[in-house]
Amino acid sequence: MNDKMQQLKERLRVINDLNSAAAVLHWDQATQMPVGGEAARARQLATLSRLAHEHFVDPAIGQLLDALQPEWEEAPPTEDDGALYRYVRREYERAIRVPAEYTERAAAHSTAAFSVWAAARPQDDFAAVQPYLEQSLQLSREYAHYFPGYDHIADPLISRAEEGMTAAEIRAIFAELRRALVPLVQRIQAAAPVDNSCLFGDFPREKQYAFAREICTAFGYDFSRGRLDETHHPFAIRFAHGDVRITTRGRDDHLGDAFFATLHEAGHAMYEQGVAEALDGLPTAHGTSSGVHESQSRGWENLVGRSLAFWEWQYPRLQECFPDLAAIPLAQFYAAINKVEPSLIRVAADEVTYNLHVMLRFDLELALLEGELSIAELPAAWNARYESDLGITPADYRDGVMQDVHWYGIGIGGLFQGYTLGNLMSAQIHAAATRAHPEIPDEIRRGEYGTLHEWLRANIYTHGAKFTPKELLQRVTGEDLRVAPLVAYLQQKFGAIYGLSG
Ligand code: ZN
């Protein structure tokens, strides 16, 4: 029995309980709470977050880490305690470099910026948010300066979401992907357009949720350790190994939003449910990065849920639920849910154009942080990039530069790359799963998902945050992050849908 390790774990479990309690309050706020509760809830969340932070930066944690260092510094991360030591050491060093005064100032600013954005967006009022964005940019620069020695000013911000990844690496990967995507989008636009009118009609969202519940259960989401509720912005949230919930939203006049958003969040939740129970209550008991998390949500949503193999089995069941689809052939439905169409809104984008939305945001963040672009110039730069990459220009700020909450609700830098890194990883991971189990596509064609789910659980989910994203990808696929698997997947799938040759 390692006494110091036990002492460290006891302290970490207290912090975990504070954070989990805050998560429950957050879930309640997003699903159940009356509007009258807002002010008190904001205060309660701020209190719990401050307490958790104070407990974590307590010098006693540093002393325990120092005492444990000789024994654990060289321990392989395959050992739970070795990985825990390494993870906590890294996060502790990160936390103590940032003064409490900065953290409070930044949190207060984010809250204020979010409120101003929420009121200004419906009014299409960029001038109202501009000074807040300028302050956010200043705060991001200040944060980076607490971590001297970086190559790029965005690196400290990126590594918060994606440990070990740098702006230079991501920029190179994204440039390679963009070189393949822009011509693919152009070829699809030159082809005969897909008719997706069959998705618009009478599709009560409660029925969509019910169908999605069945599919999530079949995928492996365990409802005895979870639940599904409606909200404005869907999310998955972990309170404990035995309680990982999802939320969703949808429309009654469109088939798809409610169904696919639910699958997406179930993908996040299955990752969290699959983390080894032995890690519960410790900081390594969650997904290792936003990119890897997104590889799981988008993997289940798109690579499985929007695949022809999946619908070969499930489409007759869907037709039973929604009689409007009775006369629509599978091929037409499958093309409709995969329609590629350059659009202004990231969250509504198809699999091909989605990454162009993400990459332009990433590039703009870097340009802002580098000082190459000012906040005043941001709307014009945004529109110019939509014109050059997608051939369309936003008519207003609301569906342009003001559409995403990220820059207004969190800050500037390191917030968007995870979506596209996740797409890249999802293609690479599914290729590896199919190499290990070539029967997976045939199983999906028969409505069976157990082999895929079990492979993901054993190779990815169970490890929680024991490995960095890079280490995990190496272990799972035997390779570093690559662009080719996603490009091959997209070319094959959309080449077939749009009848592109070669
Ligand atoms: Zn997601």
Side-chain angles (χ1 to χ4, degrees), residues 264-265 268 293-294 297-298 419:
H264 181 97
E265 299 309 329
H268 282 303
H293 240 297
E294 213 55 26
S297 55
R298 294 187 63 87
Y419 297 111

Side-chain angles (χ1 to χ4, degrees), residues 420-468:
T420 285
L421 293 175
N423 286 334
L424 291 165
M425 290 179 201
S426 71
Q428 206 170 333
I429 288 168
H430 277 249
T434 310
R435 277 199 301 276
H437 295 283
E439 70 276 21
I440 286 175
D442 281 334
E443 290 186 358
I444 292 175
R445 216 164 266 125
R446 295 197 302 269
E448 293 166 21
Y449 314 99
T451 304
L452 176 59
H453 181 266
E454 175 52 25
W455 187 87
L456 292 169
R457 191 201 61 76
N459 289 282
I460 296 175
Y461 302 168
T462 189
H463 299 306
K466 280 167 62 178
F467 303 107
T468 66

Side-chain angles (χ1 to χ4, degrees), residues 64 93 120 316 360 484:
L64 285 168
E93 298 302 330
L360 72 85

Side-chain angles (χ1 to χ4, degrees), residues 219 299-307 310 430 444 449 452:
F219 280 174
W300 285 105
E301 176 194 356
N302 292 330
L303 280 82
V304 180
R306 288 184 208 267
S307 71
F310 172 82
H430 277 249
I444 292 175
Y449 314 99
L452 176 59

